[in-house]
Amino acid sequence: MESPLLLFPQLNISASKDKSYYKVMKPAHKEETDKASKPGAKQKRNRLSLLLQKTEFHEDDHLGKPANLKKAASVSPEEAVKWGESFDKLLSQKDGLDAFTKFLKTEFSEENIEFWIACEDYKKSKTTHELLLKAKSIYETFIQKDAPKEVNLDFHTKEVTSQNIKQPITTTFDAAQSTVYKLMEQDSYPRFLRSDLYLNLVKGRNPSRPAMRRRSRSFTVNDFQDVRSDFTIW
């Protein structure tokens, strides 16, 4: 009896070829699958870029704008101490005025300092037309009933100001400005001197910075662990 290999040579050859084909194609298919599932270098760089942007976003959220941080850090403790000598000295310094404005915003009473600043600007008007425009704007914004930023004035002061607005001169808002100034000096200013915002400036520190750094480092370690080993491919 003849050997099966001789009787069915084509079948054996075909089987041999199929088996060989299977052995060759299977690893190739697996390699393509692994390659498709594994993120490429470009994808990893994009992921890293997004994570870095996310970190920076949280830092800005925590601190406010970078310019504000730089500005706050530029105030020396000696300068901040001088603000405690008098309310007038506080408002005469730009950084002091900015810090006090920031504090009033935390108390939702920033309209008082905004009105005071508007009055200071109003008194610098050089023409009658400029006086008229600014007087109308100040009155509608801070004085009239139900104004969007109405300041707290007694009845007499409000009436005098309402009469003066008909023919505005540089002293039109003096009485109202003086009233608001005294209100801030006697009420808001003492609270400002006791606030963390002011005390931290006096001590020469910004409490938000250490907290931001700790959170930033923790975020970087936790979220970059899965891509650190891939840096060598770049």
Side-chain angles (χ1 to χ4, degrees):
M1 183 175 181
E2 295 185 5
S3 171
L5 294 176
L6 296 176
L7 292 174
F8 305 101
Q10 293 182 348
L11 178 61
N12 282 300
I13 291 172
S14 177
S16 176
K17 287 184 177 179
D18 289 345
K19 186 175 183 180
S20 174
Y21 174 80
Y22 175 75
K23 288 182 178 179
V24 172
M25 293 302 294
K26 185 175 181 181
H29 177 71
K30 181 179 181 182
E31 182 180 351
E32 290 178 359
T33 304
D34 291 344
K35 186 176 179 181
S37 62
K38 185 176 180 180
K42 185 175 181 181
Q43 288 177 306
K44 291 184 176 65
R45 285 195 294 271
N46 290 338
R47 287 178 61 196
L48 179 59
S49 176
L50 290 173
L51 289 172
L52 287 172
Q53 291 176 12
K54 186 176 181 181
T55 305
E56 292 172 359
F57 173 79
H58 282 295
E59 288 175 2
D60 287 347
D61 255 4
H62 189 67
L63 294 174
K65 295 181 180 178
N68 291 337
L69 174 59
K70 182 178 179 182
K71 188 172 186 179
S74 69
V75 177
S76 68
E78 293 77 17
E79 182 181 358
V81 167
K82 291 180 181 178
W83 301 345
E85 295 176 4
S86 70
F87 186 49
D88 184 62
K89 186 163 290 187
L90 170 68
L91 298 188
S92 67
Q93 300 293 320
K94 186 179 186 305
D95 287 338
L97 180 60
D98 290 342
F100 185 62
T101 301
K102 183 178 180 180
F103 169 74
L104 290 183
K105 287 181 178 180
T106 67
E107 295 197 333
F108 304 99
S109 59
E110 66 270 21
E111 71 277 358
N112 292 323
I113 194 64
E114 289 178 4
F115 171 68
W116 184 86
I117 292 172
C119 290
E120 289 295 291
D121 177 69
Y122 170 80
K123 287 183 286 189
K124 297 175 184 177
S125 300
K126 296 180 180 180
T127 65
T128 302
H129 179 67
E130 189 176 0
L131 279 174
L132 287 170
L133 292 178
K134 290 183 178 180
K136 183 176 184 296
S137 176
I138 291 173
Y139 182 78
E140 293 177 351
T141 303
F142 300 102
I143 305 295
Q144 72 180 11
K145 184 178 179 181
D146 297 326
K149 297 183 179 181
E150 186 176 4
V151 293
N152 186 14
L153 299 174
D154 59 89
F155 177 79
H156 176 71
T157 302
K158 198 165 195 174
E159 282 297 307
V160 169
T161 305
S162 298
Q163 291 298 320
N164 291 341
I165 198 69
K166 296 176 181 179
Q167 293 183 331
I169 56 176
T170 55
T171 60
T172 293
F173 297 102
D174 280 4
Q177 185 183 17
S178 178
T179 298
V180 171
Y181 179 94
K182 290 178 182 177
L183 177 65
M184 292 189 294
E185 182 181 34
Q186 296 172 7
D187 186 40
S188 302
Y189 177 56
R191 288 200 304 278
F192 169 74
L193 296 180
R194 297 191 299 268
S195 69
D196 289 340
L197 185 154
Y198 175 70
L199 294 177
N200 282 313
L201 289 175
V202 169
K203 294 174 183 177
R205 71 187 186 199
N206 190 328
S208 62
R209 295 181 70 179
M212 174 274 292
R213 287 175 178 170
R214 287 196 297 270
R215 183 178 65 178
S216 178
R217 286 198 298 269
S218 174
F219 176 88
T220 302
V221 171
N222 291 340
D223 288 287
F224 291 173
Q225 280 179 346
D226 60 336
V227 296
R228 275 181 2 194
S229 60
D230 298 311
F231 290 166
T232 55
I233 68 176
W234 293 352

